[in-house]
Amino acid sequence: MFKAIVVEKAAAGHEARLAELDEAQLPEGDVTVRVEYSTLNYKDALAITGASPVVRKYPMVPGIDLAGVVEASGDPAWSPGDRVLLDGWGVGESHFGGLAQKARVRSAWLLPVPAAFTSRQAMSIGTAGYTAMLCVLALEKHGLKPGDGEVLVTGAAGGVGSVAIAILSRLGYRVVASTGRAAEASYLQSLGAAEVIDRAQLSAPGKPLGKERWAGAVDSVGSHTLANVCATTRYRGAVAACGLAQGMDFPATVAPFILRGVTLYGVDSVMAPRALRLEAWSRLARDLDATKLDAITHEIGLGEAIGAARDVLAGKVRGRLVVNVNR
Ligand code: NDP
């Protein structure tokens, strides 16, 4: 038997509880992983609370990422004792996920934990941090360089935002952090933000074009914020959009794209190809100062994950919530 968070469709609606599962209840897969850490991403909070239809099949173990040790493998690519991590691929949505002491998954979904990181550090980064790196890679592939000008990070005190700031500042960019939490200014500066702005400057309906400021941007907020970010991005600059914390809408005009040659990159972590994932994790091992992860991370036990989900949706959580599934 092992412990897991289980989401069920009960008579009263969507219900999440801490349960004991039998190994026989695990879904099909060729690798069984003894999970050490998982995390509480924004999407996991949606899955636990039922605030959005993230869960595709009931019952479900939520948790879109995990890190742990291979217990048994039917694929020679992995051996018992190997340190592995997993992000996305529908885990925690349509296949039992990481908020459990055990997981059974497809071998192709697993990546090795980079030698630079412990399992806990890998999950401090988690899907949010790996997505932040996918955004940075998109901007780099566009040709962005530190000398080009300021880079904006929205949703700055959240998981994607915190890791994006740490990576970009380490790479030498002048990072401007947009947050709704003025009290987190010193935290954002400690991660490497050169300037902190109030997200209210970006979150209301704006003009099709504004004063050009950003050479690049990482946006995890969407809605009017993303529209305003595009409208204030410099000629031939680029924006990497990965999130919808403000909203899924995109009330923009084509003006930034057709008059300033701005490029908007969509970033998805769930189905990203393996080669890109390997690139992102090797760059995280190289370009993220692991000592900053402590400031970004708050650890909770498995039993605390349900209560914490509400805090995530209320925007009260700073950085990353790592779940020690054995605590
Ligand atoms: P967090 O909850 O950790 O951070 C989101 C941040 O967004 C908050 O901390 C807050 O930052 C800001 N925010 C919240 N509500 C609003 C609002 N109403 N208006 C403006 N800003 C707001 O989430 P994550 O960092 O884990 O994820 C961020 C987004 O990215 C989510 O939408 C998530 O679903 C998405 N995502 C997408 C992925 C993909 O594959 N495309 C992968 C991972 C995440 P502050 O307090 O600083 O203002």
Side-chain angles (χ1 to χ4, degrees), residues 164-246:
I165 293 167
I167 298 167
L168 288 162
S169 67
R170 168 95 169 231
L171 290 171
Y173 290 91
R174 184 176 197 279
V175 182
V176 178
S178 164
T179 184
R181 290 181 270 178
E184 298 297 356
S186 57
Y187 161 74
L188 297 169
Q189 280 153 355
S190 76
L191 295 179
E195 188 181 333
V196 177
I197 62 169
D198 186 342
R199 77 182 189 201
Q201 290 180 30
L202 295 163
S203 58
K207 294 186 183 149
L209 289 173
K211 189 166 182 285
E212 292 178 53
R213 180 159 183 195
W214 322 113
V218 172
D219 177 66
S220 61
V221 169
S223 191
H224 290 294
T225 299
L226 178 58
N228 288 323
V229 171
C230 292
T232 49
T233 293
R234 283 162 55 168
Y235 192 77
R236 292 186 71 80
V239 178
C242 71
L244 42 61
Q246 183 181 3

Side-chain angles (χ1 to χ4, degrees), residues 127-137 159-161 163-164 167 218 242 284:
T127 300
Y130 141 67
T131 303
M133 181 51 95
L134 291 180
C135 291
V136 172
L137 290 174
V160 172
V163 179
I167 298 167
V218 172
C242 71
L284 283 159

Side-chain angles (χ1 to χ4, degrees), residues 74-137:
D75 182 333
W78 303 107
S79 306
D82 285 348
R83 298 170 61 233
V84 289
L85 65 82
L86 195 161
D87 298 286
W89 294 119
V91 163
E93 301 179 55
S94 52
H95 187 102
F96 281 13
L99 288 167
Q101 291 171 319
K102 273 193 195 183
R104 185 164 298 136
V105 298
R106 287 198 203 154
S107 59
W109 294 343
L110 293 168
L111 297 181
V113 174
F117 300 130
T118 61
S119 301
R120 188 176 186 275
Q121 286 173 324
M123 284 299 102
S124 288
I125 297 164
T127 300
Y130 141 67
T131 303
M133 181 51 95
L134 291 180
C135 291
V136 172
L137 290 174

